[in-house]
């Protein structure tokens, strides 16, 4: 079960209802882009990050559990994955995957705690 993957950690500093759009997102080894869309629904919280030129203008979907800290003063969000781990996640296509429960399950399995690095579930 991957439901906890779609919830913010209590230590992240996330405040329900806060608008995170435009916040910069920092992986453990550098910036990856800015939040384009987010959800803080209980059990379905995520960030859609526009990676700009980093991954050729693609977007990535990050489950809320990857967030370790939100800094509202500097408008930054820190996640507990490396740039390579994020880049190697199952490809995200907003129009196809945002409401797709199968994709959500696959992505949740990829980002679940203690998932082996590079584990790529079928999408």
């Amino acid at each position: 079960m991957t439901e906890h993957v779609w919830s913010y950690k209590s230590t992240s500093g996330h405040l329900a209802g806060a608008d995170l759009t435009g916040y910069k997102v920092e992986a453990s080894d550098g910036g990856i882009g800015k939040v384009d869309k987010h959800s803080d629904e209980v059990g379905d919280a995520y960030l859609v990050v526009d990676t700009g030129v980093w991954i050729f203008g693609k977007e990535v979907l990050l489950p809320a559990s990857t967030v370790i800290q939100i800094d509202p003063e500097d408008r930054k969000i820190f996640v507990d994955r490396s740039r390579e781990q994020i880049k190697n996640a199952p490809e995200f296509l907003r129009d196809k995957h945002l409401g797709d429960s199968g994709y959500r399950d696959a992505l949740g399995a990829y980002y679940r705690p203690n998932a082996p690095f590079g584990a790529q579930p079928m999408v």
Side-chain angles (χ1 to χ4, degrees), residues 21-111:
T21 305
Y23 276 49
K24 291 180 181 177
V25 181
E26 297 283 329
S28 60
D29 56 353
I32 63 164
K34 290 185 177 182
V35 175
D36 188 49
K37 176 180 174 46
H38 69 95
S39 167
D40 61 359
E41 277 188 48
V42 175
D44 191 26
Y46 59 82
L47 303 172
V48 175
V49 180
D50 180 348
T51 64
V53 296
W54 175 56
I55 318 180
F56 307 109
K58 291 188 177 183
E59 293 180 316
V60 295
L61 182 69
L62 295 174
S65 65
T66 62
V67 174
I68 54 174
Q69 181 184 0
I70 298 173
D71 182 344
E73 189 172 307
D74 286 337
R75 295 182 50 85
K76 285 187 179 181
I77 297 172
F78 298 87
V79 297
D80 64 357
R81 298 299 194 279
S82 70
R83 292 168 53 111
E84 185 175 353
Q85 287 172 305
I86 293 166
K87 187 176 181 179
N88 291 334
E91 181 179 22
F92 173 66
L93 302 170
R94 185 191 296 228
D95 293 339
K96 181 178 179 182
H97 293 131
L98 202 52
D100 182 335
S101 62
Y103 176 80
R104 174 191 155 109
D105 291 345
L107 193 68
Y110 179 84
Y111 280 112

